[in-house]
Amino acid sequence: MIELTRQYGRYGYRRIAALLRDAGWQVNDKRVERLWRREGLKVPMKQPKKGRLWMNDGSCIRLRPEHRNHVWSYDFVHHRTDDGKAFRTLNILDEHSRECLAIRVKRKLNSTEVIDALTDLFILRGIPAFIRSDNGPEFIAQAVRDWIAAVGAKTAYIEPGSPWENGYCESFNARLRDELLNGEVFYSLREAQILIEEWRKHYNTKRPHSALGYRPPAPETIIPMEPRPIMH
C-alpha cells in the first residue's frame, strides 16, 4: 500500500485499494482505510458536487453519452517545459467509456492539427455521433465545422463561459495536471510527449476510475496463444 502511495501520490485509499485487488490482494476498502490512517497517510478531500445547468423550462442542456462512440469531447491544456517555452496538449475522450483516445503534444496546435488528430481516430475507432468542445477558435473554425459535418458527425459546443458543460474533459484535464504535469519537470518537448503518452496508457489500462466502479476505462486483455502443432 505504501509503495503504491509513493508511486501514485495523488490517489486516495479507495483507488489504492482497487490497485491492490488488481494485484491479487484480498482486501476491502475499509481495511485499506484503517491501515491508511494508521500510517498517517493523507486522505484527499472529497470533490464538491457540481449541479447541472437547468433551463427555465426544466430541461437540462447536458448531452448524456449513452454508448461508446456516442459523444467524444476534446480540449486543450497549456503547460511549459523547463526552459519556459509553452506547449499545449489536445486531449480527446470518449465520454461513455472515459477512455482517453489521444493526447497530442506540440508547441502549437491549430485547427489543422485538430482535424489531423480526429482523422487518425476516425480511421481507428469509427466516427462518433457528437463531438463536444468549448468555443475556442481551433474548434469553431469553419474548416473544422465543415469537416466534422462532412464525415457525418455533429458538433456540440458548450455555452461560452460554462466549462461545467464539458465536465468529462474538465475532470480529465484536472487529473492530468494533478497527477502528472504538476509533479514533473519536462526538459524538452520530446520528453513531455513520451511521459504524457505513458501516463495516458496508464490512465486507460491501470488507473481505477471511480465512475466505473474503480475499474480502468480500457483494461488490457491478454489473449492466450494457441499451441502450435508439433511437426514430425
Side-chain angles (χ1 to χ4, degrees), residues 50-201:
K50 301 180 180 69
R52 296 190 180 91
L53 186 62
W54 296 90
M55 306 299 282
N56 291 332
D57 61 0
S59 62
C60 180
I61 66 174
R62 176 179 288 182
L63 172 66
R64 285 183 173 276
E66 298 176 359
H67 50 79
R68 284 180 183 268
N69 275 10
H70 181 211
V71 184
W72 289 4
S73 58
Y74 55 177
D75 198 8
F76 289 112
V77 168
H78 301 258
H79 202 62
R80 293 182 182 275
T81 47
D82 188 55
D83 57 9
K85 294 181 179 178
F87 69 84
R88 305 175 85 190
T89 72
L90 172 61
N91 307 332
I92 307 175
L93 307 179
D94 184 308
E95 292 190 359
H96 184 267
S97 67
R98 306 300 206 278
E99 182 180 0
C100 177
L101 304 176
I103 302 180
R104 183 159 292 201
V105 183
K106 287 195 173 184
R107 293 292 184 190
K108 294 181 180 180
L109 289 165
N110 53 29
S111 58
T112 302
E113 294 285 350
V114 170
I115 294 174
D116 187 48
L118 289 176
T119 300
D120 291 344
L121 287 175
F122 287 0
I123 293 171
L124 292 172
R125 304 272 184 155
I127 298 170
F130 296 90
I131 300 178
R132 191 196 316 260
S133 72
D134 62 23
N135 292 270
E138 302 88 353
F139 299 136
I140 63 173
Q142 194 63 46
V144 174
R145 299 165 71 108
D146 291 346
W147 180 80
I148 290 175
V151 297
K154 296 180 181 178
T155 54
Y157 295 113
I158 68 173
E159 287 294 315
S162 304
W164 56 84
E165 292 180 35
N166 199 11
Y168 296 96
C169 234
E170 290 293 328
S171 176
F172 176 83
N173 293 347
R175 300 287 77 75
L176 172 63
R177 190 170 293 282
D178 185 48
E179 296 174 12
L180 179 68
L181 300 183
N182 289 347
E184 290 283 349
V185 177
F186 301 111
Y187 292 103
S188 67
L189 180 66
R190 183 58 181 157
E191 183 181 24
Q193 290 170 335
I194 292 171
L195 292 179
I196 290 172
E197 179 60 16
E198 287 180 354
W199 182 87
R200 185 188 74 88
K201 291 178 180 177

